């Protein structure tokens, strides 16, 4: 649970608030137990349960109703992608899902984001970074590490953006989407554009609706796949 990745230097928004309840899903018992012990010791997080595969993750989430599920990708019976899709589609108030994986270039992660996950973290990250990602997602933000995401998503050539109805987005909405893709939170976007927070929230909501995206992360995946945002984009 140590080391760094392309996004480790990106500061996550500071989040304070009520205790976040967490379910950990990982098929490796040692990893799962280690995550539980380490994350339970972090401030603001209560681990309410564990799951050893995707089926159990869905079942336990329905019973325990955690705020966040930390979801491994490769698990038996039902993988993390399908488990995420089921949770997001079936639950009345679905938990937020943070995908946790070993490899930055794991193609399954992009699929999980498209299925409705709110972000991803690497298992080798320091536990404080994983804990902060859980808190940020619980607060309604997305955990996006643009450099890693850019390598995972193979963008189409510019000008062939059939996956993104760009004509439906206003110029300001495209600008907001690009800033979301850099990992900025709503308050940070408001500061960058010198507009109110409510204006940013309205733009983000319009972008999600027009793209048919489940959340901010899914919108960024669509932007990368369409070529609106390309790897290496820095704002």
């Amino acid at each position: 649970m140590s080391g760094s990745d392309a996004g480790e230097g990106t500061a996550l928004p500071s989040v304070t608030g009520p205790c976040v309840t967490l379910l950990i899903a990982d098929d490796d018992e040692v990893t799962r137990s280690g995550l539980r012990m380490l994350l339970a010791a972090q401030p603001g997080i209560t681990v309410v349960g564990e799951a050893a595969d995707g089926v159990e993750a869905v079942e336990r989430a329905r019973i325990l109703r955690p705020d966040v599920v930390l979801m491994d990708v490769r698990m038996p019976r039902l993988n993390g992608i399908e488990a995420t899709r089921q949770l997001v589609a079936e639950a009345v108030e679905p938990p937020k899902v943070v995908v946790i994986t070993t490899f930055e270039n794991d193609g399954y992660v992009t699929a999980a984001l498209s299925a409705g996950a709110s972000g991803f973290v690497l298992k080798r990250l320091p536990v404080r970074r994983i804990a902060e990602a859980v808190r940020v997602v619980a607060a309604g933000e997305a955990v996006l590490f643009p450099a890693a995401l850019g390598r995972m998503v193979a963008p189409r050539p510019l000008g062939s953006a059939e996956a993104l109805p760009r004509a439906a987005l206003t110029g300001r909405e495209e600008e907001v989407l690009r800033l979301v893709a850099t990992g900025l939170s709503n308050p940070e976007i408001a500061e960058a554009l010198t507009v109110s927070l409510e204006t940013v929230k309205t733009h983000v909501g319009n972008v999600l609706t027009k793209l048919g995206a489940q959340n901010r992360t899914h919108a960024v995946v669509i932007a990368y796949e369409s070529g609106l945002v390309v790897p290496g984009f820095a704002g």
Side-chain angles (χ1 to χ4, degrees), residues 5-7 103-107 110 120 122 124 145-155 224 230-232:
D5 79 333
F103 305 106
E104 283 180 54
N105 61 351
D106 191 336
T110 301
F120 71 92
L122 297 177
R124 69 169 184 256
F145 296 146
L149 183 60
R151 285 194 297 272
M152 287 162 46
V153 181
Y224 271 105
V230 297

Side-chain angles (χ1 to χ4, degrees), residues 19-204:
C19 194
V20 176
T21 55
L22 177 68
L23 173 68
I24 299 172
D26 196 300
D27 64 326
D28 184 84
E29 184 176 0
V30 173
T31 298
R32 192 172 67 248
S33 298
L35 284 170
R36 176 166 193 156
M37 178 184 67
L38 293 170
L39 289 171
Q42 295 294 306
I45 294 178
T46 298
V47 180
V48 295
E50 300 177 15
D53 58 53
V55 171
E56 188 175 356
V58 173
E59 292 174 348
R60 298 283 286 167
R62 287 170 178 163
I63 295 170
L64 298 173
R65 299 181 64 82
D67 298 315
V68 179
V69 177
L70 189 62
M71 185 83 74
D72 189 23
V73 176
R74 295 169 176 154
M75 294 187 291
R77 293 208 291 171
L78 189 69
N79 64 44
I81 298 168
E82 292 305 319
T84 297
R85 183 173 290 112
Q86 285 190 21
L87 282 176
V88 171
E90 296 177 7
V92 176
E93 295 183 2
K96 305 292 186 181
V97 177
V98 176
V99 171
I100 185 165
T101 184
T102 303
F103 305 106
E104 283 180 54
N105 61 351
D106 191 336
Y108 288 123
V109 176
T110 301
L113 298 179
S114 296
S118 295
F120 71 92
V121 294
L122 297 177
K123 290 183 179 181
R124 69 169 184 256
L125 282 176
V127 68
R128 62 178 177 79
R129 294 283 295 168
I130 298 175
E132 187 62 17
V134 168
R135 297 189 201 99
V136 167
V137 164
E141 294 287 352
V143 177
L144 301 173
F145 296 146
L149 183 60
R151 285 194 297 272
M152 287 162 46
V153 181
R156 298 169 186 169
L158 290 174
S160 61
E162 61 273 8
L164 175 62
R166 293 180 63 175
L169 296 182
T170 66
R172 180 48 65 100
E173 287 167 354
E174 284 197 13
E175 188 176 13
V176 168
L177 178 55
R178 286 190 175 96
L179 291 174
V180 169
T182 71
L184 295 187
S185 65
N186 284 351
E188 290 168 332
I189 294 173
E191 181 177 357
L193 298 180
T194 319
V195 298
S196 71
L197 180 58
E198 288 305 313
T199 297
V200 173
K201 289 180 179 178
T202 297
H203 287 316
V204 171

